[in-house]
């Protein structure tokens, strides 16, 4: 039966040599900072931008605007309070909803053109 001989790289030894401890901590710290930066730019920053756009949309909300709620209800704004708005959805149906339930604001037609 043939014998298999493994050759090591020149200068390599069978004994285990460990790298200095400072280089291990440095690479760990670098990776930690790298992942925190990626997390910030991919998750936190876009969420802040969406929240800022949503707050701007709510601050520009006026009577007569047509809104779409998160549940899909379409209605015309008839009254605005601090945390809620009242919308008219049909001929005589009025709903009072929270401002957080608004997903889209469609401006009144005479304001657009």
């Amino acid at each position: 039966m043939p014998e298999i001989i493994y050759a090591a790289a020149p200068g390599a030894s069978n004994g285990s040599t460990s790298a200095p401890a400072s280089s291990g901590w440095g690479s760990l710290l670098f990776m930690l900072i790298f992942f925190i930066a990626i997390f910030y730019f991919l998750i936190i920053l876009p969420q802040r931008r969406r929240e800022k756009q949503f707050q701007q949309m709510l601050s520009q909300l006026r009577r007569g605007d047509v809104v779409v709620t998160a549940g899909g209800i379409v209605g015309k704004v008839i009254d605005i309070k601090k945390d809620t708005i009242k919308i008219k959805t049909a001929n005589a149906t009025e709903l009072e909803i929270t401002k957080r339930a608004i997903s889209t604001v469609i401006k009144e037609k005479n304001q657009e053109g």
Side-chain angles (χ1 to χ4, degrees):
M1 190 163 160
E3 280 189 43
I4 299 175
I5 301 174
Y6 295 101
S13 64
N14 288 340
S16 63
T17 57
S18 62
S22 63
S23 69
W25 285 105
S27 64
L28 179 67
L29 184 62
F30 174 75
M31 292 299 285
L32 183 64
I33 291 172
F34 176 74
F35 283 120
I36 289 173
I38 293 296
F39 182 77
Y40 178 78
F41 285 111
L42 292 180
I43 296 174
I44 296 172
L45 195 59
Q47 179 62 30
R48 284 187 181 172
R49 287 181 184 152
R50 281 190 296 270
E51 186 67 29
K52 189 175 180 181
Q53 287 174 345
F54 182 74
Q55 291 299 328
Q56 182 180 8
M57 177 185 71
L58 290 181
S59 69
Q60 294 175 350
L61 190 63
R62 301 287 177 250
R63 289 184 68 192
D65 290 346
V66 177
V67 297
V68 180
T69 67
I73 299 171
V74 179
K76 189 174 187 178
V77 177
I78 57 174
D79 189 25
I80 301 173
K81 296 179 182 175
K82 182 180 177 188
D83 294 327
T84 62
I85 64 168
K86 192 178 281 190
I87 61 173
K88 186 174 185 178
T89 58
N91 291 337
T93 307
E94 294 180 0
L95 299 172
E96 188 166 352
I97 61 172
T98 63
K99 287 184 176 182
R100 303 290 301 174
I102 298 173
S103 63
T104 308
V105 174
I106 305 168
K107 293 292 180 187
E108 192 176 13
K109 294 201 186 293
N110 63 9
Q111 290 179 356
E112 288 179 354

